[in-house]
Each structure stands twice: as C-alpha cells, then as structure tokens.
Amino acid sequence: MKAWLLKDFGLDNLQMGEVPTPDPKPGELLVKVGAVSLNFRDKAIVDGIYEPHTVPKNLIPVSDAAGTVVAVGAGVTRYKVGDRVNSHLYSRWLEGEPGPHEPDYCFGSPLPGGLAEYMIIHEDSAVRAPDNMSDEEAATLPIAALTAWYSLVDFGPIQPGQTVLVQGTGGVSIFAVQIATALGAKVIATSSSDRNLQTVMSLGAVAGINYRSTPNWEDEVLKLTDGKGVDLLLDVAGGSGINQSVAATKAAGRIAQIGFLTGQTVQLNLMPLIFRQTTIRGIAVAPRSSFDRMNAFLNEQHIRPVIDQVYPFEKAREAYEHLAKGAFGKVVIKIAQ
Ligand SMILES: NC(=O)c1ccc[n+]([C@@H]2O[C@H](COP(=O)([O-])OP(=O)(O)OC[C@H]3O[C@@H](n4cnc5c(N)ncnc54)[C@H](OP(=O)(O)O)[C@@H]3O)[C@@H](O)[C@H]2O)c1
C-alpha cells in the first residue's frame, strides 16, 4: 500500500513510500482509510518535540482516521466488512479512568497511524463513525472533538447557563464552542483574529476577546462575568498563561489543561491558585466509551465539524504546513477517492 513515512524528524523527511498492506490478526480490523485529520500532536511529532524518544523509525503518522472495514481477523464480533469506523487515539483506554501506560498504545506514534491507504484498528478500540458524516467530517472527531467533549461533559460537567472559556479557534476550541453551546452553556472565545472571533460567534459564542490586542484578556473575562470568572476554562495555550487562566476562572472553578501551544513548562503562581481554590486537571483525550456517547450526541444535535480545508493524499505535506500557519477548525487529508 502507499503510505507516508516519517524517515526522520522534520517535514522534509516525511516521504511517500510503499509498504506491505497489514493483515488483521485476531480481534483486529483492516480499515481502508477514507480520510484523516491533523492535530497539533501530529505536527509536534514530525517536528520532534512530542516525546521524540518514543517515535519509531519510518512511522506512518497521524492518529485520527475514518474509513471502512475491508477485512476482519479471527474472532471479530463488534464489526463486519462494510462498517464505517473511527480510530480512537488511546487505543487501549476503553472506559473509566486511564491506566498508567495509555500513551504506549496511541495511533500515529508509537502505533502506525492513518496516513496510508489502510490501517489496523482493534475492534475494541474502533468507534462507529456517525452516519450523518462523510469520512472527511468523521476524521475530525477522534482527538479534537473528543477532547472538547471529555473536558466539557466528563470533567466539567458543564450545566446549562454556566460559562466556559475557550482559547483560540483551532480544532479543539471550535468543537468546544459547538458542543458547549448545544449543552446550553455561555461560551467566551479568545482569538488573535477579529475575523475569527466574528465567525466563532456565529457558531454560538456569546463574546469574543482578541488576546493579541488585549493581552490581559483575563480582565475582560472578569468584566463579562460580573467579576467572578468562568465556571470552566479549556486551556489549550499552555505555558505561563496558566496564571491568566486561573485569574479568569471563578472561585472553586475548573481548568481543563489540554494544550501546550506556547510552552510545555510553566511558572505557576501558587497563592492565586490557593486563594481561588481552582482545580486544574490534565486532560489526555478520553476513553472510547466517551467517544461512543459523543457521537450519539453529535448525531442528535446535528453538529457538523468545521473544516478549514481538505487536501488530497499526495499533498499531505501542504496540509501540515497549513496547520503550522494556523487553521480555523480542522485540516483534513482525503485518502480514498
Ligand atoms: N491533551 C489532549 O488530549 C489534547 C487533545 C487535543 C489537542 N491538544 C493540544 O491542545 C492544543 C491545541 O490543539 P488544536 O489541535 O486545537 O490546535 P490547532 O488546531 O493547531 O489550533 C491552534 C490555534 O490555537 C490558537 N492559539 C495559538 N496560540 C494561542 C494563545 N497563546 N492563546 C490562545 N490561543 C492560541 C490559535 O487560534 P487563533 O488563530 O484564533 O488565535 C491557533 O489557530 C495543542 O497544544 C495540542 O497538542 C491536547
């Protein structure tokens, strides 16, 4: 089969090649990949800044895929040939709290990902793709939508009328705006672009703050929330901005620490954290059971993923470059024609 292979770190070392099409072992599905979507994680893996010691040579990258089952291994009962499925990043985390070794079983590193004509997914970790979505749309769900869902619903849990802050207009945050709005929450969004803020408000956000022209954006959040702060904040920016996130969250409020766009280390001011009694929880996507529940909700609420652009398989590198420049919503690569 044709596959993109990461020969070494750096986008120039991501090269199209031919590898044997894998055979499904007992319990596994062979999936003809329809489309994949890119996440910041995929770019960070290629750049060599995401747990580089765990990235295998000649990796087939990209975790998030949607496609059709074309063969099944012995003993498979959950799916049959012809079913449409999604990959699930933490392939062994099926429900409840995570075990200590979930990162060892992630697609797109260290397990082979979906940037190829076919991929193997164990039947236990596969998720039924929503019927009302194309493969391009369903491919956006496994990390971005599910992280937003888990933060809002499993960690939150956000209640109608409560306030949520989302940062920027990338994959996770746009899904968070859509899902939180559908749950009846009031969403405040930040962005470096006034135009993106307009668009995000058309998706349901009630207020927008430009974090570039208003670097002390937490003060604006306090003004918008009667001086209290939001109930739940989804922090994708990371770095020392966490201190602003604590200030923008109400007393005894919650922060879902999702991202590290501005840095993987932080100097955290403890006194405001202690006085505000904030809970900060690291989020690493979600178990498969949460994915199942989310897909039912997306179907029911008619939520459609916001896709910035779809690239053909041959233009995978251009898709990575697009993500690096910043995307509104998701960047998708269509594999099967
Ligand atoms: N822990 C998890 O389970 C998990 C899951 C998914 C993602 N993540 C992490 O979350 C982060 C976001 O992921 P993504 O896939 O949504 O990324 P993405 O699609 O690449 O989105 C990036 C967007 O973030 C915004 N941004 C950049 N710097 C910012 C800042 N200082 N403050 C506020 N917003 C900023 C920008 O929006 P504007 O152009 O509007 O300014 C940018 O377009 C990444 O670090 C990723 O690795 C973690």
Side-chain angles (χ1 to χ4, degrees):
M1 65 177 183
K2 283 190 188 154
W4 284 90
L5 305 170
L6 188 61
K7 304 270 177 185
D8 202 346
F9 294 126
L11 195 52
D12 290 345
N13 296 312
L14 181 62
Q15 290 167 15
M16 177 79 92
E18 293 262 344
V19 295
T21 304
D23 272 331
K25 297 191 187 70
E28 292 180 342
L29 316 173
L30 179 67
V31 175
K32 184 173 166 53
V33 183
V36 296
S37 81
L38 294 184
N39 289 283
F40 187 81
R41 173 181 187 268
D42 301 308
K43 185 186 131 28
I45 287 168
V46 168
D47 291 345
I49 57 164
Y50 189 98
E51 304 293 89
H53 55 286
T54 64
V55 178
K57 263 261 176 300
N58 288 323
L59 169 78
I60 300 176
V62 186
S63 58
D64 288 10
T68 304
V69 177
V70 291
V72 298
V76 166
T77 55
R78 292 187 71 229
Y79 295 99
K80 58 182 186 326
V81 169
D83 286 344
R84 286 179 62 242
V85 292
N86 265 132
S87 59
H88 167 54
L89 178 74
Y90 284 96
S91 68
R92 297 216 178 168
W93 184 16
L94 304 183
E95 58 189 336
E97 295 301 320
H101 302 298
E102 308 299 357
D104 298 347
Y105 303 99
C106 283
F107 289 114
S109 184
L111 302 183
L115 199 51
E117 289 177 297
Y118 298 91
M119 78 185 287
I120 292 287
I121 304 177
H122 195 280
E123 66 162 338
D124 289 342
S125 82
V127 172
R128 201 166 291 280
D131 293 336
N132 65 347
M133 289 189 196
S134 64
D135 282 350
E136 290 91 311
E137 290 177 311
T140 65
L141 303 177
I143 290 187
L146 187 55
T147 300
W149 169 266
Y150 189 73
S151 303
L152 292 164
V153 176
D154 295 279
F155 169 61
I158 200 73
Q159 304 298 328
Q162 288 189 326
T163 45
V164 178
L165 184 124
V166 305
Q167 298 180 319
T169 53
V172 175
S173 299
I174 295 288
F175 273 118
V177 171
Q178 294 175 289
I179 294 170
T181 302
L183 290 165
K186 286 182 269 186
V187 181
I188 301 171
T190 68
S191 175
S192 56
S193 149
D194 287 339
R195 207 179 62 172
N196 285 0
L197 286 174
Q198 286 303 324
T199 318
V200 95
M201 285 169 76
S202 73
L203 290 171
V206 296
I209 304 168
N210 187 318
Y211 65 81
R212 196 153 285 160
S213 56
T214 310
N216 294 331
W217 51 267
E218 68 279 18
D219 295 339
E220 286 305 309
V221 176
L222 292 177
K223 281 186 208 155
L224 289 164
T225 53
D226 299 326
K228 293 192 179 111
V230 295
D231 293 279
L232 176 66
L233 189 147
L234 273 54
D235 191 316
V236 297
S240 295
I242 186 68
N243 295 307
Q244 291 174 273
S245 293
V246 170
T249 304
K250 75 169 191 190
R254 291 154 92 75
I255 297 177
Q257 188 58 52
I258 295 169
F260 46 90
L261 289 166
T262 67
Q264 293 180 3
T265 57
V266 44
Q267 191 158 11
L268 177 64
N269 299 330
L270 288 178
M271 295 322 285
L273 179 82
I274 290 168
F275 287 139
R276 291 181 84 76
Q277 302 193 45
T278 316
T279 299
I280 305 177
R281 156 93 188 244
I283 298 287
V285 195
R288 196 211 75 208
S289 56
S290 190
F291 201 161
D292 294 329
R293 290 192 293 275
M294 177 187 76
N295 278 2
F297 178 85
L298 296 178
N299 248 330
E300 202 181 279
Q301 297 287 326
H302 307 290
I303 292 177
R304 308 307 293 245
V306 175
I307 296 177
D308 190 321
Q309 198 165 336
V310 179
Y311 287 83
F313 190 35
E314 300 69 35
K315 303 248 180 207
R317 284 204 293 234
E318 283 85 338
Y320 276 84
E321 283 163 357
H322 183 153
L323 187 76
K325 276 189 272 165
F328 186 89
K330 297 296 293 176
V331 176
V332 171
I333 302 168
K334 188 172 166 65
I335 313 283
Q337 292 311 310

